[in-house]
Amino acid sequence: MPKTTQYASRESDGSGHIAWSTEENQIWSELYSRQIPLVKERACDEYIEGLRLLNLSENCIPQLPDINRVLLERTGWQTAEVPALIPFGEFFRLLANKQFPVATFIRSREEFDYLQEPDIFHEVFGHCPLLTNPAFAHFTHTYGKLGLAASKEDRIYLARLYWFTVEFGLVKAKNELKIYGGGILSSPGETIYSLDSDVPVRKPLTAIDALRTPYRIDIMQPLYYILPEFDHLFELAEMDIMALVEKAKSLGLFAPLFEPKEKKAG
């Protein structure tokens, strides 16, 4: 995660309501209208059903209490209003308590197509629909509990598993590839690239491989892992993931499929 941010999160009132500006709501509306036609063709059925259940507004930024009512009824989850950046420990603590962190800011027009920090469009549009699904909710909860108890070194390995599932995962559905990763679903460029481009490598997901795979946050992904079916997330959650982390340490990381990030001069 970036160490600094230009964004300041908005604070809600006593009822959890945030008074978003006309411009902020307009940015949401433009992001939503651009992304909806893309995901309807490419997202997994579980995500589309979650979108239906949440009934997100296309005209204004959703209020978190409205999302919470649906999540609580479906899977016992809630959202948690957080600043633009939070420490890894706090991230895991929230997930372990079935609270999904949502940074309450929306990207600027200068970063309309891409930003490194997760904003409210990424969190709500990309992730919250699948938190209505029991398999996804269970995996995310288990991941949070593991991360909360893990060492700093082990959390780096766990972050790779999260990256290649929750953020950038693909799934086999009725012999078709579909998207379930929120990092893809909230990005128009990557939504098309992940399925339609011949450039990236696509491989069946094994937890040990994901734990050993380096990634960069600021490029189109060179590699996507594919779940054999959506409910495989239940099986993944029940594996001894920390034993797999130890195995990944002993085996070492795979060679990265990308160039190292250039360091800024000065």
Side-chain angles (χ1 to χ4, degrees):
M1 293 187 73
K3 292 177 181 161
T4 58
T5 177
Q6 62 166 309
Y7 293 104
S9 290
R10 303 288 297 274
E11 290 190 17
S12 62
D13 61 19
S15 64
H17 185 274
I18 293 174
W20 298 100
S21 70
T22 301
E23 171 66 2
E24 287 167 326
N25 282 323
Q26 182 62 28
I27 288 172
W28 169 277
S29 179
E30 290 174 28
L31 288 167
Y32 184 95
S33 63
R34 180 174 69 167
Q35 196 62 3
I36 275 289
L38 298 177
V39 301
K40 283 191 172 174
E41 294 294 320
R42 295 172 176 85
C44 64
D45 289 346
E46 292 81 1
Y47 174 84
I48 299 299
E49 172 63 6
L51 268 183
R52 185 190 70 78
L53 291 169
L54 290 182
N55 193 27
L56 302 176
S57 169
E58 60 185 277
N59 299 315
C60 57
I61 300 173
Q63 297 294 339
L64 296 187
D66 295 333
I67 293 170
N68 289 342
R69 277 190 286 274
V70 179
L71 295 184
L72 192 59
E73 179 186 350
R74 290 282 163 176
T75 57
W77 275 74
Q78 299 276 271
T79 61
E81 185 182 319
V82 298
L85 298 174
I86 60 173
F88 254 150
E90 177 65 2
F91 174 72
F92 286 119
R93 185 192 70 78
L94 288 169
L95 296 187
N97 287 285
K98 294 189 176 182
Q99 295 177 286
F100 195 81
V102 174
T104 48
F105 73 91
I106 196 160
R107 68 196 67 183
S108 66
R109 289 202 176 274
E110 290 71 35
E111 294 189 295
F112 193 82
D113 291 318
Y114 175 79
L115 77 167
Q116 289 190 33
E117 300 105 305
D119 70 344
I120 196 165
F121 184 77
H122 169 84
E123 305 288 30
V124 168
F125 187 92
H127 289 303
C128 284
L130 278 176
L131 283 169
T132 64
N133 178 273
F136 185 88
H138 178 58
F139 174 74
T140 308
H141 183 217
T142 301
Y143 177 84
K145 290 188 289 184
L146 291 173
L148 188 60
S151 68
K152 188 174 180 181
E153 181 190 5
D154 288 352
R155 285 175 176 177
I156 295 170
Y157 282 85
L158 289 173
R160 297 188 188 104
L161 180 62
Y162 191 88
W163 187 261
F164 289 109
T165 54
V166 174
E167 290 292 354
F168 287 91
L170 302 179
V171 60
K172 188 67 83 65
K174 300 171 187 171
N175 293 317
E176 279 190 291
L177 278 188
K178 296 289 185 179
I179 302 166
Y180 73 97
I184 307 176
L185 291 168
S186 58
S187 163
E190 197 129 12
T191 298
I192 295 168
Y193 170 85
S194 65
L195 293 186
D196 300 357
S197 172
D198 293 331
V199 174
V201 177
R202 302 173 186 88
K203 292 182 177 179
L205 174 74
T206 65
I208 188 69
D209 284 355
L211 291 165
R212 297 177 62 202
T213 304
Y215 65 86
R216 266 181 63 176
I217 67 171
D218 59 341
I219 57 173
M220 292 283 194
Q221 297 304 302
L223 168 65
Y224 300 98
Y225 284 113
I226 305 164
L227 274 181
E229 60 178 2
F230 196 82
D231 280 353
H232 185 68
L233 286 171
F234 276 126
E235 295 172 42
L236 201 56
E238 297 309 310
M239 291 178 185
D240 189 345
I241 292 173
M242 297 316 296
L244 292 175
V245 167
E246 290 305 311
K247 186 177 178 183
K249 286 182 191 175
S250 67
L251 293 171
L253 298 184
F254 293 125
L257 299 179
F258 49 81
E259 295 298 318
K261 189 173 182 178
E262 289 185 13
K263 291 184 179 178
K264 292 181 181 177

